[in-house]
Amino acid sequence: QGGALRTYPFDSNVESVQVLLKTDGRPLNARIELLQGPNNNKQVIELYTEDGLDRPFFVVIETPGSGNVVRTVNTAPVEFPMTAWVEPYSINSSMSGSEVVLGGGTTAF
């Protein structure tokens, strides 16, 4: 739904994440934020497209270090839901294999 906010935390061995936003043919109006720890400025992508089915938005974002959280915000009105996929894209395999990668998944909101 419009106005919905979702957060996706990622473990330190995730070097980049992939984000796909789309709608069912309605306008896509959203904001993607990368938060890197508590003391850093967030990086923001604001986007708009008239048809989120014909023109979905896909991006790969580098997430070096630890404490990375990707936040997606549907800035459209309530009548315009969107679907978001946020998943690890590149994982540093040289880090401990016992670490669990947090985050990712598909969320409709």
Side-chain angles (χ1 to χ4, degrees):
Q1 291 185 18
L5 176 136
R6 297 285 188 273
T7 58
Y8 304 88
F10 289 94
D11 206 23
S12 60
N13 66 339
V14 176
E15 295 179 341
S16 60
V17 297
Q18 56 188 344
V19 179
L20 173 66
L21 303 179
K22 63 184 257 180
T23 66
D24 60 356
R26 299 177 185 178
L28 172 62
N29 198 356
R31 187 171 66 238
I32 302 168
E33 302 172 351
L34 173 63
L35 296 86
Q36 295 179 296
N39 298 325
N40 291 329
N41 291 332
K42 63 184 170 188
Q43 299 177 45
V44 179
I45 300 171
E46 292 191 20
L47 62 112
Y48 174 80
T49 181
E50 295 249 347
D51 185 335
L53 185 61
D54 285 343
R55 292 177 294 281
F57 181 80
F58 178 79
V59 67
V60 174
I61 303 171
E62 291 187 18
T63 56
S66 61
N68 292 305
V69 175
V70 173
R71 183 162 55 184
T72 58
V73 183
N74 185 351
T75 56
V78 150
E79 300 83 22
F80 300 121
M82 74 173 190
T83 303
W85 287 270
V86 181
E87 298 179 346
Y89 181 75
S90 175
I91 298 174
N92 185 348
S93 60
S94 66
M95 297 188 94
S96 171
S98 63
E99 295 183 67
V100 176
V101 175
L102 300 175
T106 302
T107 305
F109 55 96

